[in-house]
Amino acid sequence: GPTVTDLEIIITSTPSGAGGEYIIGDTVTVQWDNTVATGDGNTDISGATADFTAFGGGSAVTMSNASEIYTAGYTIIAGAIDTSNLNVSVTATDNASNSTTTADTSNLSLDNQRPTLTPVTIASDNADPTFAQVGDTVTVSFTAVENIQNPPTATIAGNAATIGGSNPNWTASYTMQGTDTEGVVAFTIDMTDIPGNAGVQVTSTTDASSVTFDKTGPTVTDLEIIITSTPSGAGGEYIIGDTVTVQWDNTVATGDGN
């Protein structure tokens, strides 16, 4: 079979992740030198392929040939790999269909796992933590499954939140203002893991918790407040022993309808 030596298999790409680690979006590029002058010098090669399965790629990616310098690349996508000592294999085939496979020994590192958060909860410091009024603080609490870069960023009700905590437990807090929109309080959390993979933006809780912002007080009109009792004193005056009874109608049909 053809001569394919580790010495002539070179990784020409550079990872962008912290610590020299390949991360999502990086391209692993391998080059095999088959020139007579400086490489393995086979003169009857019909083609070559690269095996990127250790990185989540294909097992037989066709290598382009430019004057007996064979090159192939694979761009990292999100997956479930977080390990080191990874290598690319090159398979060369000659005109007689003989093949030789040799692995590079660069021992690369890869993390293609996006960071995730669980659990994620939201609550207010209102007496009822599922509601908030002006001046109440809404807090989103979240735990990173893996360590993330410090700090993550978050918004609550469309406003920048104050981040607290440290890996793996974090909080994002915001004090509700009169200019904020009423309704269910929305939030976002963005995070990046230590090597540099960005997580998918988190916009919902893991336990169905929610906070509703209500800055409008209830409607209570004088028209719907009625004294239903009758005084017993002369001249319609309440006296000792009488009961003053008040009734407020909040029905939708006839009252204030809150």
Side-chain angles (χ1 to χ4, degrees):
T3 298
V4 182
T5 61
D6 171 48
L7 182 64
E8 302 304 335
I9 300 173
I10 302 171
I11 302 299
T12 61
S13 53
T14 301
S16 67
E21 195 162 24
Y22 281 87
I23 61 174
I24 298 167
D26 287 349
T27 298
V28 181
T29 304
V30 62
Q31 177 182 287
W32 172 50
D33 183 352
N34 187 46
T35 62
V36 172
T38 61
D40 284 328
N42 300 280
T43 59
D44 60 346
I45 298 300
S46 61
T49 60
D51 183 350
F52 291 102
T53 54
F55 300 84
S59 61
V61 177
T62 300
M63 304 182 76
S64 62
N65 179 11
S67 301
E68 293 306 310
I69 300 292
Y70 290 80
T71 305
Y74 169 69
T75 300
I76 305 297
I77 63 173
I81 304 171
D82 183 5
T83 191
S84 56
N85 298 321
L86 303 177
N87 294 291
V88 181
S89 295
V90 171
T91 298
T93 303
D94 63 19
N95 292 330
S97 297
N98 298 303
S99 296
T100 301
T101 300
T102 302
D104 166 58
T105 56
S106 295
N107 294 326
L108 306 176
S109 296
L110 167 67
D111 180 352
N112 70 351
Q113 297 180 354
R114 293 193 185 279
T116 57
L117 307 177
T118 189
V120 179
T121 64
I122 188 171
S124 165
D125 64 358
N126 188 283
D128 183 340
T130 65
F131 285 91
Q133 60 183 355
V134 174
D136 286 344
T137 298
V138 175
T139 300
V140 180
S141 301
F142 53 98
T143 298
V145 174
E146 63 174 292
N147 284 349
I148 57 179
Q149 292 184 20
N150 186 10
T153 59
T155 66
I156 297 176
N159 303 282
T162 300
I163 301 297
S166 61
N167 280 311
N169 300 311
W170 300 88
T171 61
S173 300
Y174 172 73
T175 300
M176 303 302 296
Q177 306 295 313
T179 53
D180 293 324
T181 302
E182 289 187 312
V184 176
V185 178
F187 68 89
T188 65
I189 306 170
D190 293 285
M191 83 300 302
T192 302
D193 67 13
I194 300 302
N197 292 306
V200 176
Q201 187 179 76
V202 174
T203 59
S204 60
T205 60
T206 57
D207 64 350
S209 58
S210 66
V211 172
T212 299
F213 179 49
D214 183 353
K215 62 183 178 181
T216 305
T219 299
V220 181
T221 61
D222 173 56
L223 181 66
E224 302 305 334
I225 301 173
I226 303 169
I227 303 300
T228 60
S229 54
T230 302
S232 66
E237 196 166 19
Y238 280 87
I239 61 173
I240 297 169
D242 285 351
T243 299
V244 180
T245 304
V246 64
Q247 175 182 288
W248 172 51
D249 184 355
N250 188 44
T251 63
V252 174
T254 62
D256 284 326
N258 296 280

